[in-house]
Amino acid sequence: MAVKLSRVREKSKIFHEIFQRIARTRQYSRLAEVGRFEIPKLQEKYASGQPFLHRVFGYRGVVLFPWLARVYDRDIEKPGTTLSENEEMKELKGQTKIYYQVLMDNRDSPYTRAQVESVTFLGNDNDGSLYAIPGLDYVSHEDVLPYIPSEPKPINHQLFDRFFTPSYGKGYIAQDTLRLWHEKNHRWLELSDVHRETTEDIRVTAIPFYMGARELQGVSSYWWRYCVRLENLGSAPAQLRERYWKIFSLSGTLETVRGQGVVGQEPKLTPQQSAFQYSSHVSLHAPSGHMWGTFRFEKPDGSTFDVRIPPFSLESKEQ
C-alpha cells in the first residue's frame, strides 16, 4: 500500500508540474484536454507510436524510434582547467542515454520555443540542395511524458498517417514505410553525441549532425547541422544578446564568428519560459573539425555574463 501511494503522489506531482509549465508556455491560448497521463518509464524504452507531451516545451508529439547517444555532461565530468578544447573533448567520457526521434503536432508550433523546422540534409543528386523535414525533433528520455490520447489521431502531422496505423487495444503500430524511411535517411538523422554544460544557471546543450558532402570545381565541402538548447535553471531572468563561436577545421584553419543573438532572435529565458532551442549549419573544407564558444547574456540590472558553449566534434561519415 505504501509503495502504491508513493507512485500516486509521484504521478500527481509530475502532472501538476507539466500542467503548470504548459499553462505558462501557452499563456495566450486556451488549453484543451488531450488525454490521460501515464506514469513515465524510468528505464524501459518507449515504443514507436507512443504519444507524449514534452516536459520542457509542452508540445504534443509521437515517438518514431529511439537512438542511443553518448552524453558528455561537463557539469558531472569536469576535467582540469589547463586542458585545451581538443584535449578536453578526448578526456571526457560520455554516458549512454536514450534519445528519441519524434514528430511534433503542427497545432503546437506557434506556442513552442523549439525550432524544429530545420532538420535538414543534403540530397543525393549532387546539386547542393538542402532538404528540410518539418516538425521533427530529438527528445531525451526524461523529457517524454507519455499519455493515452482522447482523440483517434494523437497529433496533426503530414507524416503520421504514412508511418502509423491504429491498432485496437495496442495504440499505434509502425508501418513498413517508417522502417524504410529510417533505413534510407539513417545517416542524416542519426544522433550520436550530446554535449552539455551549465554556467551561472544557464545550461547549454549542443547536438551536431552530419549532413553530407559536396564537391564544386574540385573542392569538397562537408556540412553539419547543430542543434542548441538554452535553458535557464535559476529563478532570475536572463536575455541572450551575443554569440561568439570558434570553428576549427582539420585543414588547419580557425574561423571566428561573432553576432547578435541567434537565428535573428534574442530570446529571454525566464521562470515562465525557461528554454529556447534552435538549429544552424556549418561547413568545412575538411572531413572533421570542432566548434566551441560563448553566449553573452544580460541580467535585469543591465550587467552581462558569458555562458560557455561546450566544445563538440564535427565528424563526417564519408569513411
Side-chain angles (χ1 to χ4, degrees):
M1 178 65 71
V3 174
K4 183 176 181 181
L5 182 59
S6 175
R7 289 176 65 84
V8 170
R9 287 175 177 169
E10 178 186 0
K11 185 176 180 180
S12 177
K13 182 180 179 181
I14 292 173
F15 294 169
H16 178 75
E17 173 192 336
I18 190 61
F19 177 80
Q20 293 297 324
R21 186 182 294 272
I22 294 175
R24 292 195 298 264
T25 302
R26 302 186 189 176
Q27 55 184 317
Y28 302 112
S29 67
R30 181 180 178 182
L31 290 175
E33 181 179 326
V34 297
R36 177 166 54 88
F37 274 112
E38 296 180 298
I39 296 177
K41 297 179 180 180
L42 297 180
Q43 299 295 335
E44 185 182 353
K45 294 179 183 178
Y46 294 105
S48 297
Q50 172 66 60
F52 71 93
L53 292 181
H54 195 293
R55 183 186 292 271
V56 174
F57 294 112
Y59 65 73
R60 288 164 287 184
V62 65
V63 170
L64 292 181
F65 40 79
W67 297 105
L68 288 179
R70 293 186 300 272
V71 179
Y72 299 91
D73 193 336
R74 285 159 178 80
D75 300 333
I76 299 175
E77 306 178 48
K78 288 280 189 180
T81 56
T82 58
L83 296 178
S84 68
E85 301 291 348
N86 193 40
E87 290 172 333
E88 178 180 330
M89 285 187 289
K90 294 179 180 179
E91 183 75 14
L92 286 172
K93 297 179 181 179
Q95 296 181 339
T96 301
K97 294 190 176 182
I98 303 172
Y99 273 71
Y100 298 95
Q101 183 90 64
V102 305
L103 291 180
M104 172 185 171
D105 196 310
N106 296 328
R107 295 169 294 183
D108 296 337
S109 298
Y111 313 106
T112 302
R113 302 180 87 195
Q115 182 195 47
V116 292
E117 295 82 11
S118 299
V119 176
T120 50
F121 58 95
L122 293 173
N124 298 318
D125 48 11
N126 207 37
D127 63 356
S129 299
L130 285 175
Y131 292 81
I133 307 173
L136 278 180
D137 198 8
Y138 295 83
V139 181
S140 65
H141 184 82
E142 57 265 28
D143 282 341
V144 173
L145 292 175
Y147 74 97
I148 300 174
S150 56
E151 302 176 1
K153 185 177 178 180
I155 68 167
N156 283 354
H157 193 283
Q158 58 269 33
L159 293 178
F160 181 82
D161 290 332
R162 289 183 55 193
F163 289 165
F164 298 101
T165 183
S167 177
Y168 180 76
K170 296 183 179 180
Y172 306 90
I173 304 299
Q175 301 187 50
D176 287 341
T177 51
L178 176 58
R179 177 182 57 82
L180 294 173
W181 182 79
H182 184 198
E183 292 176 354
K184 179 181 178 181
N185 299 297
H186 182 278
R187 295 179 69 198
W188 327 119
L189 298 175
E190 181 182 9
L191 181 154
S192 57
D193 295 340
V194 178
H195 302 266
R196 183 183 297 162
E197 185 168 1
T198 303
T199 308
E200 294 194 36
D201 289 331
I202 304 296
R203 183 165 64 190
V204 179
T205 303
I207 309 176
F209 301 87
Y210 181 59
M211 294 170 51
R214 283 289 175 264
E215 184 172 327
L216 183 61
Q217 296 180 347
V219 179
S220 296
S221 61
Y222 302 84
W223 286 79
W224 289 266
R225 175 175 59 88
Y226 56 93
C227 178
V228 177
R229 174 166 147 181
L230 306 169
E231 190 170 2
N232 189 346
L233 305 179
S235 57
Q239 186 165 9
L240 175 64
R241 292 303 190 189
E242 296 179 9
R243 69 186 185 279
Y244 177 65
W245 286 98
K246 285 189 175 182
I247 307 169
F248 175 78
S249 171
L250 189 63
S251 62
T253 61
L254 178 62
E255 181 182 1
T256 298
V257 178
R258 185 187 296 272
Q260 183 176 351
V262 291
V263 292
Q265 301 185 51
E266 297 180 30
K268 188 174 184 179
L269 306 182
T270 67
Q272 293 74 30
Q273 293 186 312
S274 62
F276 180 83
Q277 179 176 297
Y278 76 96
S279 291
S280 191
H281 304 89
V282 62
S283 66
L284 302 177
H285 291 306
S288 64
H290 59 270
M291 297 175 61
W292 70 97
T294 55
F295 290 119
R296 179 154 294 177
F297 276 82
E298 182 179 344
K299 297 181 179 180
D301 62 5
S303 62
T304 60
F305 63 100
D306 288 338
V307 172
R308 194 164 181 258
I309 303 172
F312 54 89
S313 297
L314 303 172
E315 300 291 343
S316 73
K317 301 177 182 178
E318 297 306 308
Q319 303 303 322

